[in-house]
Amino acid sequence: MDRYVCGPCGYVYDPAEGDPDNGIAAGTPFEQLPDDWVCPVCGASKDMFEKE
């Protein structure tokens, strides 16, 4: 699974880790994140992320 980087702040979404603080289980691919998911660091929307 691909990792994605937040353009504004550099946070890396790693599907192997998910985003447990926001209810995203480990193993969740970026493509399956809810449309309203935002960067947990800066609040940027999914469209601000690029594949690493």
Side-chain angles (χ1 to χ4, degrees):
M1 286 186 280
D2 295 316
R3 293 166 27 127
Y4 283 75
V5 180
C6 179
C9 78
Y11 166 81
V12 176
Y13 176 77
D14 185 347
E17 297 176 12
D19 182 12
D21 291 342
N22 291 297
I24 306 298
T28 304
F30 186 81
E31 295 82 359
Q32 291 181 7
L33 292 173
D35 289 338
D36 62 351
W37 181 85
V38 296
C39 175
V41 175
C42 74
S45 60
K46 280 178 65 177
D47 63 352
M48 299 297 288
F49 282 70
E50 293 187 14
K51 191 182 295 188
E52 188 176 48

